[in-house]
């Protein structure tokens, strides 16, 4: 059965078209996905991301437990900071990519992708058997709203008490703290998935509608508009960010995805997947995730073959025309022999090879 977020009625009232995403009915776009994309690059967009999972880890062995359950060194994360990490299986395959916030010395918040949330919660519970921790899945009672774009901080400050303004302005990237926004207590994080400065707000489901309406109203004069999954996907692709189910899967290791630094083989703790990941790193991956820049007008799409002189050397995992850059872009796994930036390749677009070039990621980097 398709699930709805606490903001479903708001999306309908705003005229959204919907799509199924990870078992959730989510807004695809409200008007034009191109307009929503540009709003995020030039002003800000408001996203409902309440479909994602939130799992709290609490207890005296929380840090040691997460170092066993996840591939990163979560014990090294300072209170108030966050870390991008992954949960792997014993074969080193990626179960999900995660953001983990350390809220207190013995309290962490693990945020997972929507479709993987039940699996991640179940795996964390199972892996916690020998640790003095409590694993609590709060996904059903938590909403998430993302405000992303150059004016995000100004809009947020307009709804934040003056006494708490410095908490917002001094917040660094991948940090989080509690603040009051529109009279509602939220966990505010300076994280995102668009390549822009911005925030993600965690709030109780009962307060989601009031917070959503307040942020839309506060940002209206600055050009803030609601943005759907279509814009979120084109934005994250320009920023070179992987999406689970496309670039990341159970059959993929972090090393093939170019995310080897996420794995902490230096930490003393044993962790699930360690032996397999050590072997994978030593062996090297035969294929590598790369960025592709289209030299023509036609875009490559997921599953399209990447070729060199007619020989298949890889496959596209995500691709579309870039609204910001004005040419097609794609992420693809290709044989390492063809993975160096500057390498000329073709993408088979419905039987017709189209010229592309391997380029360094990200495709788009915001000006600071």
């Amino acid at each position: 059965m398709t699930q709805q977020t606490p903001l479903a009625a708001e999306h309908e009232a705003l005229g959204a078209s919907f799509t199924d995403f990870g078992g959730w009915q989510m807004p695809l776009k409200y008007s034009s996905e191109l307009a929503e994309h540009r709003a995020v690059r030039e002003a800000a967009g408001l996203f409902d991301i309440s479909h994602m999972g939130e799992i709290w880890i609490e207890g005296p062995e929380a840090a040691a437990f997460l170092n066993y359950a996840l591939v990163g060194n979560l014990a090294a994360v300072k209170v108030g900071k966050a870390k991008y990490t992954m949960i792997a299986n014993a074969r080193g395959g990626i179960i999900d990519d995660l953001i983990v916030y350390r809220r207190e010395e013995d309290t962490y918040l693990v945020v997972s992708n929507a479709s993987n949330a039940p699996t991640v919660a179940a795996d964390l519970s199972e892996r916690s058997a020998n640790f003095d921790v409590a694993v609590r899945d709060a996904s059903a009672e938590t909403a998430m709203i993302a405000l992303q774009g150059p004016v995000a901080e100004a809009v947020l400050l307009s709804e934040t008490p003056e006494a708490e303004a410095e908490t917002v302005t001094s917040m660094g990237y991948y940090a989080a703290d509690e603040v009051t926004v529109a009279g509602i207590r939220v966990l505010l994080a300076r994280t995102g998935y668009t390549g822009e400065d911005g925030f993600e707000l965690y709030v109780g489901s009962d307060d989601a509608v009031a917070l959503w309406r307040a942020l839309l109203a506060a940002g209206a004069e600055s050009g803030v508009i609601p943005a759907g999954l279509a814009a979120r996907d084109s934005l994250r692709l320009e920023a070179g960010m992987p999406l689970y189910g496309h670039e990341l899967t159970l059959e993929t290791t972090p090393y093939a995805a170019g995310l080897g630094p996420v794995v902490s083989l230096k930490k003393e703790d044993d962790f699930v997947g360690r032996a397999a990941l050590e072997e994978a790193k030593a062996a090297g991956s035969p294929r590598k995730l790369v960025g592709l820049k289209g030299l023509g007008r036609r875009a490559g799409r997921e599953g399209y073959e990447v070729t060199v002189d007619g020989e298949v050397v890889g496959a596209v995992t995500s691709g579309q025309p870039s609204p910001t850059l004005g040419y097609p872009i794609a992420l693809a796994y290709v044989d390492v022999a063809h993975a160096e930036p500057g390498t000329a390749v073709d993408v088979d677009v419905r039987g017709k090879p189209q010229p592309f070039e391997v380029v360094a990621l990200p495709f788009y980097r915001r000006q600071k």
Side-chain angles (χ1 to χ4, degrees):
M1 181 177 176
T2 304
Q3 301 180 78
Q4 292 184 326
T5 78
L7 295 167
E10 299 300 301
H11 305 319
E12 290 182 9
L14 289 165
S17 58
F18 291 89
T19 187
D20 180 275
F21 185 83
W24 290 77
Q25 184 192 56
M26 298 299 295
L28 181 65
K29 59 183 179 180
Y30 300 83
S31 55
S32 157
E33 57 195 80
L34 186 59
E36 292 167 20
H37 182 108
R38 287 177 173 163
V40 175
R41 291 280 181 250
E42 297 168 3
L46 196 66
F47 299 85
D48 176 14
I49 50 174
S50 302
H51 56 318
M52 298 181 73
E54 296 87 12
I55 302 150
W56 287 93
I57 310 297
E58 299 169 279
E61 293 186 316
F65 162 62
L66 287 176
N67 265 15
Y68 166 74
L70 309 179
V71 302
N73 186 355
L74 286 308
V77 178
K78 295 180 179 179
V79 173
K81 297 293 187 180
K83 188 177 186 67
Y84 177 76
T85 187
M86 295 178 178
I87 181 170
N89 60 22
R91 295 182 288 106
I94 301 169
I95 295 173
D96 200 9
D97 61 331
L98 312 162
I99 294 178
V100 178
Y101 301 90
R102 190 169 197 171
R103 297 298 307 128
E104 298 175 8
E105 190 64 25
D106 296 332
T107 302
Y108 291 79
L109 172 61
V110 178
V111 179
S112 71
N113 286 292
S115 59
N116 294 327
T119 299
V120 172
D123 283 358
L124 288 176
S125 293
E126 183 178 338
R127 295 178 187 189
S128 71
N130 296 321
F131 293 87
D132 186 6
V133 295
V135 178
R136 180 170 63 90
D137 185 356
S139 304
E141 64 208 54
T142 306
M144 278 182 72
I145 295 172
L147 179 62
Q148 295 280 305
V151 306
E153 182 180 288
V155 172
L156 201 60
L157 286 172
S158 72
E159 293 296 310
T160 304
E162 188 173 344
E164 298 182 47
E166 188 177 352
T167 304
V168 177
T169 57
S170 64
M171 185 176 289
Y173 191 49
Y174 263 62
D177 204 347
E178 290 189 5
V179 297
T180 304
V181 179
I184 300 165
R185 202 67 178 160
V186 309
L187 174 61
L188 181 71
R190 200 157 205 157
T191 47
Y193 195 54
T194 63
E196 297 298 334
D197 184 26
F199 299 87
E200 293 179 330
L201 296 87
Y202 298 80
V203 64
S205 296
D206 291 345
D207 289 323
V209 170
L211 183 62
W212 173 267
R213 289 178 177 177
L215 290 172
L216 270 186
E221 289 189 1
S222 302
V224 177
I225 60 174
L229 286 185
R232 187 169 170 84
D233 194 49
S234 55
L235 290 158
R236 72 90 190 171
L237 180 57
E238 287 184 345
M241 296 179 175
L243 175 63
Y244 197 87
H246 294 256
E247 286 73 42
L248 308 178
T249 70
L250 280 172
E251 308 308 317
T252 309
T253 71
Y255 298 109
L259 296 169
V262 172
V263 182
S264 178
L265 295 177
K266 291 183 178 178
K267 65 180 178 182
E268 295 179 355
D269 316 70
D270 190 18
F271 62 90
V272 179
R274 177 166 198 141
L277 289 168
E278 286 177 338
E279 184 176 339
K281 182 181 181 181
S285 175
R287 285 194 169 184
K288 182 179 178 182
L289 184 67
V290 299
L292 297 180
K293 174 185 177 180
L295 304 180
R297 299 184 61 182
R298 301 187 68 181
R301 303 287 183 177
E302 181 184 7
Y304 287 9
E305 292 178 339
V306 180
T307 65
V308 173
D309 297 330
E311 179 186 354
V312 177
V313 300
V316 172
T317 50
S318 299
Q320 61 177 279
S322 165
T324 304
L325 303 172
Y327 51 76
I329 57 174
L331 293 173
Y333 279 100
V334 301
D335 295 346
V336 291
H338 304 287
E340 284 299 311
T343 303
V345 300
D346 290 320
V347 173
D348 188 329
V349 180
R350 299 178 179 175
K352 295 184 178 179
Q354 301 294 313
F356 280 74
E357 177 185 0
V358 176
V359 296
L361 294 171
F363 300 104
Y364 164 85
R365 194 186 300 275
R366 71 181 172 91
Q367 299 296 315
K368 297 182 180 179

